[in-house]
Every structure is written in structure tokens, then in C-alpha cells.
Amino acid sequence: MLGAVAPVLRKQRRAWPERLAGGRPPWKPRSQAMATGASRSRCSEGAVAERQRRVAPLAATSPAEAGEEPLLRGIFEISKRSCDVVLSARRLRWSPILPESPTGDSSLVSQAQEEIVEMKDVFSVKLKRRRFAGQKNGGTLLGITIFKCLNKEENKLTDCAIHLNNFSEDHCHSWFRHLKEILNGFQNRPKSLKVFVNPRSHKREATHVYYEEVAPLFKLADIKTDVTGTTNVLAHTLCGIKHAVTATLHIVMGHIQPVDVCTFSTPSKLLRFGFSAMFGFGARTLALAEKHRWMPANQRKDFAFIKTLADLKPEECELSFLPVQVAQGEPHENDSKHQWHKIQGHFLNVSIMAIPCLCSMAPRGLAPNTRLNNGSMALIVVQNTSRTEFIKHLKRYASERNQFNFPFVETYTVQEVKVQPRLRSGLDAKENTCMNAASAEGHHPWNIDGDLMKEASEVHVRVHPQLINLYGVNTDDLESSQATCNCI
């Protein structure tokens, strides 16, 4: 039966009407056959080239056009289709392998769409195995899984997986090693991280969010972590919890954000490094809240805010500041260059901020005109006014309206600030229940990044441009964060 079938199949191949229509006769004269035999090797090379051409765009793209030489080339099943896959140092490319058309029609080739993954967008590669329940090691090799970042919106990232299926151990291990070498060559990507989690933020859900959404991505990227709890305002200032996955992927991908840092000092000593500070209302609210730590956090904050607002009193002090130098040719150049300015009076609140301080209470930020790394600080001075006008000013922070558009609010862009309080005397100190003990000791409260500090002497604040580099993304690129404010 089998021997009888073979001649029939050969006749059918010769009798294909497409070949006849193409002008190729089903037989050749002996002289033509000899010529064909003499050029058999050249025809074989041509057939290989034709098959490669049918793999469509991959073979058609020269190394010069791609920008680098291919490192590996092989066959994997991707999305249930056999694909010709090429790996270079910069990208991974694949295109479906198409069946050979008897007509030589190239229309099928044009339908094969090449897909490309830039290696700079890949953050992890793993060997894919099938394991039984409870099995931790080994298992049947299924192929390779590549994890990459997708940019859904501007600077808002998500992760996705691409499965390259192949059952060959040697084939997959060779590809796996080359892929890992490429990923290890990205020098900016972290290998280990010190992670600060604010357990009090976002209604105490920050710890849960970290271990459910953030930690798995760090583990997937083979990043070692050391987790520490902190209540510092920086934890929600640089990356709001709403964008936890996006912030994590920016870290994993090694996106570095330079950040300005401030020093806080007295004439005799360095107090600390930080990013923002409040003197007056913001500091006295925090001081009162700290005296009632026995209360639940939200109740304590509300109580301290309302009580301090009810006992609203200004602070008498002298402010000295060095404005940011303006460019040549701009107005007031001679006044601002290397000259300290002084203002003296009674102020309800003084804010000094090197970062915007985005939070749910202030979607645009407590200092919306400040950036993380522009080398300056915002000095916001609220002069003495009525309680009603001050409340109007505070309400503006939660809206889109300009919270500084009041005659009693002044703003400056500065490099350095010196705050010299003046001690109260007589009945004023006794009348202020929030400040009674502090005033008696001659110390004034400061709210520095949500931490309470008390100092009796002048405090000097100076910005140090781009002093540190942090893994993450600029909050300017993330639209109105809904993180809970932890300034108090």
C-alpha cells in the first residue's frame, strides 16, 4: 500500500496547476535536468533564503538597521503560535512562522506582524515550570516567562507577562542565561533596598498594601529588601499609596529621582536633615496632638486642630531669608543677589518647604509651586488676621483655588531662612493652653516632616540642591495623590 502511494504523490506535486500556470513545465529536457543538477547547491541556498524570507520581517531586518548584532535566535511558542525569536542586547523580536505557500504568494508574509520588546522595559525573567500542589522545587519545564513594564498613561505603569514556551531544557537555559546577563547589565537598577513603610498612613492600610502589591514585585525582580516602619512624612510625600504599583515599578526599573534636602540647625549645632517645616499654627497643632497620644489618631488630629484654631494666636518673630538668585537681566537682580531680606511682626504660621507635600488635604500640595529638585524652598508667611479669614485660607488648600491669594499671605522663593522667635511674657503665655509649658521653658515647637521639635534659639534652614538620589518618580508626574496627610 505504502509503496503504491508514493508515485501518486510525486505525480500530484508535478501536476500542481499553480506551477503550470507559473510557466514551469512538469518535465525538463535532459540538458536542462543536467544544468539543474549542476546548480543544485545554489538552488538549496535559494530555498533556505526563501524560507527565511517567509518568516517575514525578522530576517529582512539587517543588524545595521536593528542597531546591534543578534545574540540568539530560536523557535518558541508565543500566544499559541510558533514564532521565530531573535534576541539582541537591546530588544527581543519575534514573528509568527508562516507555512510555505505553493504559489510563492508574499501576501501572507506581509500579514505576519513583528512584535518587539525593548530590554530596558523588562524587569524580570523566570523559568516557567509546571509543579504539583506543594512542590517547591523542580517540575516540568514549560519555557521562559518575561516580565515587562507597560506605560498605560503618562508615568503610570503596570506589569505584564510574556510566555515563551519550549520544552527543551538546554534551549531554555541558554536563553535564560543570556536574558539575565542583559538585565544584570543595567547598572541603575537596585539589587537591595531599605524600605520605609508608614504604618499609620492611608487609614493604617499601608502595611497591607506593601505586602500585597509592592513586596511581590520586589521579589519578582530579585531585589532584597529590609523593611522598617516610619511615621516620617517623606513616606507619603515621594510616592502616594494610590500609585503604589507605579512607584514600585519605577524603583524596580531603576528610575532615579534627585531630591533637594534641607538642613535645620541652631547657631551651635546641626539639628537634623529634612524636607519641610512649620512654625506657628502647624507646629502648635502637632505639639497639642502629641500631648494626647492616648486618643485614637484621627480623633487626636481633629481635636488638636480645632483646639488650636479656637486658641488662635500669632507668634512674634523675625524672619531673615536669602532669595533665590534671578537670571541676568531680570528685574530686582541687584536687590536679590547675595542680600538677606528681613521681615518682623506677628505671624500665625510660617511654612518652609523644599517639596510640594501633596496630600488629600491639599491636592495641589502645601507648597504647589515647589519641586523636588529645583534647588529652592518655598517660604509661606501668614500674617496675623482674624480667625474667619484664616479659616478661609485653610479651606483653599482643599480646593483648586489659589490658597495664597489673600492680602495677609506672602510667599517667597528662597535658598536660606532664619527664624528668630521672641519669647512671650506676662499673661499671654498663661492664656495659651497649647504653649504654656513650652513658653515657660523658653522653647518653641517646630513641625519638621511631621516630627515635633522644640528649640529656644534661632533656627537656620538651608536647602542643598539634589543632595540625594532616590529610586522612584517625581510626584509632579502623578496626578492628585489621595494619600492621607500625616503632617500632624
Side-chain angles (χ1 to χ4, degrees), residues 31 44 59 71 74 129 136 170 222 227 257 283 322 339 390 460:
S31 60
S44 300
L71 301 176
R129 296 183 182 274
K136 296 183 179 179
D170 293 339
D222 297 321
V227 182
Q257 175 66 55
L322 183 63
Q339 289 189 7
F390 185 65
H460 182 189

Coordinates of all heavy atoms in Angstrom, one line a residue, residues 31 44 59 71 74 129 136 170 222 227 257 283 322 339 390 460:
S31 N 19.1 18.1 -21.0 CA 20.1 19.1 -20.9 C 19.7 20.0 -19.7 O 20.6 20.5 -19.0 CB 20.3 19.9 -22.2 OG 19.0 20.5 -22.5
S44 N 19.5 25.0 -3.4 CA 19.3 24.7 -2.0 C 19.5 26.0 -1.2 O 18.7 26.3 -0.3 CB 20.2 23.6 -1.5 OG 20.0 22.5 -2.2
A59 N 14.1 38.3 9.4 CA 15.2 38.1 8.5 C 15.5 39.3 7.6 O 16.6 39.5 7.2 CB 15.1 36.8 7.7
L71 N 22.1 38.1 19.4 CA 22.8 37.2 20.3 C 22.3 35.7 20.2 O 23.1 34.8 20.2 CB 22.6 37.7 21.7 CG 23.1 39.1 22.0 CD1 22.8 39.5 23.5 CD2 24.6 39.2 21.8
G74 N 15.9 31.5 17.9 CA 15.3 30.2 18.1 C 13.9 30.2 17.9 O 13.3 31.3 17.6
R129 N 7.8 26.5 35.0 CA 7.7 25.1 35.3 C 6.3 24.8 35.7 O 5.6 25.6 36.4 CB 8.7 24.6 36.3 CG 10.1 24.8 35.8 CD 11.1 24.3 36.9 NE 12.5 24.5 36.5 CZ 13.2 23.6 35.7 NH1 12.6 22.5 35.3 NH2 14.4 23.9 35.4
K136 N 7.9 22.6 45.7 CA 8.6 23.9 45.7 C 9.7 24.0 44.7 O 10.1 25.0 44.2 CB 9.1 24.2 47.1 CG 8.0 24.4 48.1 CD 8.6 24.8 49.5 CE 7.5 25.0 50.5 NZ 8.0 25.3 51.9
D170 N 18.0 22.5 27.5 CA 19.2 23.2 27.1 C 18.9 24.5 26.4 O 19.5 25.6 26.6 CB 20.0 22.3 26.1 CG 20.6 21.1 26.8 OD1 20.7 21.2 28.1 OD2 20.9 20.1 26.1
D222 N 14.0 40.1 42.0 CA 15.1 39.6 42.7 C 15.8 40.7 43.5 O 17.1 40.8 43.6 CB 16.1 38.9 41.8 CG 15.6 37.7 41.1 OD1 14.8 36.9 41.8 OD2 15.8 37.5 39.9
V227 N 12.8 46.0 55.5 CA 11.6 46.8 55.8 C 11.6 47.4 57.2 O 11.8 46.7 58.1 CB 10.3 46.0 55.6 CG1 9.1 46.9 55.7 CG2 10.3 45.4 54.2
Q257 N 15.4 59.6 41.0 CA 14.9 60.9 41.2 C 15.8 61.7 42.1 O 15.9 61.4 43.3 CB 13.5 60.9 41.8 CG 12.9 62.2 42.1 CD 12.7 63.0 40.9 OE1 12.0 62.6 39.9 NE2 13.2 64.2 40.9
A283 N 2.9 73.9 63.9 CA 3.7 73.3 65.0 C 2.9 73.2 66.3 O 3.0 72.2 67.0 CB 4.9 74.2 65.2
L322 N 17.2 84.5 52.3 CA 18.1 84.8 51.2 C 17.3 84.3 49.9 O 17.1 83.1 49.7 CB 19.4 84.1 51.2 CG 20.4 84.3 50.1 CD1 20.8 85.8 50.1 CD2 21.6 83.4 50.3
Q339 N 21.9 89.1 49.0 CA 21.4 90.0 50.1 C 20.3 89.4 50.9 O 19.4 88.8 50.3 CB 20.9 91.3 49.4 CG 22.0 92.2 48.8 CD 21.4 93.5 48.4 OE1 20.3 93.8 48.7 NE2 22.3 94.4 47.8
F390 N -8.5 83.4 58.4 CA -7.5 82.4 58.5 C -8.1 81.0 58.0 O -7.6 80.2 57.3 CB -6.9 82.2 59.8 CG -5.8 81.2 60.0 CD1 -4.6 81.4 59.3 CD2 -6.0 80.1 60.7 CE1 -3.6 80.4 59.4 CE2 -5.0 79.1 60.9 CZ -3.8 79.3 60.2
H460 N 18.1 77.9 61.7 CA 18.5 78.2 60.4 C 18.2 77.1 59.4 O 18.7 75.9 59.6 CB 20.1 78.5 60.4 CG 20.6 78.9 59.1 ND1 22.0 79.0 58.9 CD2 20.1 79.3 57.9 CE1 22.2 79.4 57.6 NE2 21.1 79.5 57.0

